[in-house]
Amino acid sequence: MAYEKTYVMLKPGVLQRRLTGVILQRLEQKGLTLAALKTMIIPREVAEEHYAEHSQRPFFQDLVNYTISGPVVAMVVCGEDAIARARALAGPTRIEEAPPGTIRGDFAAVTRKNVIHTSDCPESARREIALFFSPGEILEYEDPNADWIC
Ligand code: CMP
């Protein structure tokens, strides 16, 4: 296991549907730790940079338009194997493949509005965290309960 930080984003609609609390609860219940959290409306150019790897896909403009269509909850989440753990909790990107019990499987109906984004590898996590947070916004703190979780 490796201690990691990952970028997690609750997409537009989550705040309006009052789902933030139940989704954060799933991350925390699995032992992940919140190191930074903020609401924001993402500027278009930042959304385009965030999803740059999809820029040649037919759904790119729709994806960017949706991403900037309302406030998101952006966060840095950390812990042992945080990247894989957050992705397992989120479930598969394609909604038809997301089983009940995963965040997408329980709260999303279409792939484009699949409720949550999580970084897919350490390099993406570093890039995405740096895109949305300055170092001073990310808090590292002692957790006396950590031994009960990891
Ligand atoms: P996310 O994990 O944020 O990373 C890329 C996003 O592109 C993905 O979640 C989906 O929201 C979106 N996406 C992937 N495939 C499609 C698709 N076929 N049609 C529309 N949106 C898609």
Side-chain angles (χ1 to χ4, degrees):
M1 290 211 292
Y3 180 86
E4 294 171 332
K5 289 194 190 87
T6 189
Y7 176 67
V8 175
M9 181 173 82
L10 308 186
K11 298 184 179 185
V14 170
L15 276 166
Q16 292 89 335
R17 293 168 65 197
R18 275 70 172 170
L19 291 175
T20 305
V22 289
I23 296 175
L24 288 182
Q25 185 177 35
R26 290 187 180 203
L27 299 171
E28 288 194 302
Q29 278 177 335
K30 193 67 180 171
L32 293 166
T33 301
L34 276 171
L37 181 145
K38 62 184 173 188
T39 56
M40 63 184 293
I41 295 182
I42 302 178
R44 177 175 291 278
E45 61 276 14
V46 175
E48 287 173 349
E49 189 176 342
H50 174 59
Y51 283 125
E53 69 183 278
H54 300 294
S55 62
Q56 300 309 312
R57 310 286 286 275
F59 58 80
F60 181 66
Q61 276 314 321
D62 275 353
L63 175 60
V64 169
N65 287 337
Y66 163 58
T67 303
I68 66 173
S69 67
V72 303
V73 181
M75 58 192 119
V76 178
V77 166
C78 53
E80 296 294 329
D81 289 335
I83 295 171
R85 240 192 268 176
R87 288 183 73 74
L89 289 168
T93 302
R94 287 167 54 82
I95 219 62
E96 314 82 75
E97 296 164 8
T102 64
I103 293 166
R104 287 168 171 161
D106 288 348
F107 301 120
V110 292
T111 296
R112 189 164 61 88
K113 297 181 180 172
N114 62 2
V115 180
I116 186 168
H117 168 86
T118 69
S119 307
D120 62 0
C121 65
E123 190 190 334
S124 300
R126 271 190 293 278
R127 185 179 71 79
E128 293 171 359
I129 288 170
L131 186 60
F132 290 98
F133 290 92
S134 60
E137 290 179 297
I138 302 166
L139 207 60
E140 308 252 15
Y141 49 90
E142 285 292 312
D143 177 4
N145 284 320
D147 281 350
W148 296 107
I149 297 164
C150 300

